[in-house]
Amino acid sequence: MKKVLTLAALMLAVSACTGQQAEPQAKPVNVASLAGDSQITDVRPADAMPTYPKRGMSIERNYIEQPPLIPHRDDYTIGLNQNKCMTCHSWDKAEKMKATPVAKSHVVNAQGKLNGQNYFCTQCHVAQADNKQAIVENVFSTK
Ligand code: HEC
Ligand code: HEC
């Protein structure tokens, strides 16, 4: 009996779900963004992949105390258990990886233990990429 009741309840639940019909002709949602207005329902070609400056080369700094720009992709995981940036930029690995070790200001001891305030690298450092499409006009100047 119990089984039959459970089955009945299950079927009821299933029919309740399928009973909800999606609106046949959903109204398109318009999104106004800096990249232009487009409808969410619009299908458009994928963006061109960005290219980064020559691998292994740092970018000249424009002003004192500037967090140097990242000359490579910046989507390495920075999470609770790991900071992938440190696989190349930590004091003990940087030389082998031909990368600049994190600045003295980023560490708390002579072994190069990272300062908590400098954990989220991309809070200050930004990658430079040729995105092949103008998204937002940028007139930033250091002068
Ligand atoms: C696979 C190794 C590797 C990983 C992972 C990596 N980098 Fe780099 N990074 C390099 C190399 C090589 C350079 C170029 C040499 C240099 O300038 O240090 C570089 C350059 C940089 C520079 C410029 C340094 C300067 O003095 O101009 C910054 C800033 C930087 N990386 C930040 C990051 C951040 C933030 C992450 C994580 C999102 C990261 N890197 C992950 C290898 C790596
Ligand atoms: C709060 C902002 C901030 C955060 C977060 C931060 N940095 Fe920096 N970083 C700077 C500034 C500012 C400089 C340049 C001045 C200096 O050397 O302290 C710098 C310098 C550097 C340099 C160049 C060092 C040198 O000797 O030329 C590297 C490499 C670097 N950071 C990597 C990283 C990595 C990797 C992380 C994450 C683990 C990180 N930074 C997090 C602000 C930051």
Side-chain angles (χ1 to χ4, degrees):
M1 185 61 194
K2 217 169 172 189
K3 262 189 193 158
V4 176
L5 276 178
T6 328
L7 197 76
L10 205 78
M11 282 174 73
L12 221 107
V14 170
S15 66
C17 289
T18 50
Q20 258 180 7
Q21 294 257 313
E23 238 181 88
Q25 195 60 58
K27 285 199 188 100
V29 182
N30 294 322
V31 179
S33 84
L34 290 171
D37 296 352
S38 63
Q39 293 186 352
I40 276 186
T41 46
D42 277 356
V43 176
R44 60 180 187 84
D47 295 335
M49 295 285 278
T51 51
Y52 296 92
K54 219 171 142 219
R55 254 187 95 193
M57 306 273 282
S58 55
I59 301 164
E60 207 185 316
R61 297 183 204 183
N62 295 307
Y63 56 93
I64 208 157
E65 292 297 326
Q66 175 200 335
L69 298 164
I70 306 175
H72 53 68
R73 51 177 267 246
D74 66 348
D75 55 353
Y76 294 101
T77 306
I78 304 175
L80 187 62
N81 301 320
Q82 59 173 358
N83 183 331
K84 285 273 187 189
C85 306
M86 294 301 274
T87 56
C88 295
H89 289 282
S90 72
W91 280 21
D92 54 337
K93 302 198 186 87
E95 199 186 347
K96 208 175 124 212
M97 302 310 287
K98 295 190 171 61
T100 311
V102 290
K104 281 209 181 78
S105 61
H106 295 20
V107 303
V108 291
N109 63 16
Q111 285 70 51
K113 186 182 180 323
L114 198 59
N115 182 348
Q117 287 165 4
N118 288 93
Y119 191 79
F120 294 100
C121 319
T122 46
Q123 187 185 323
C124 304
H125 297 278
V126 289
Q128 288 302 289
D130 178 4
N131 279 313
K132 300 192 175 75
Q133 58 202 355
I135 298 172
V136 181
E137 199 65 29
N138 187 350
V139 290
F140 177 77
S141 160
T142 55
K143 287 171 194 96

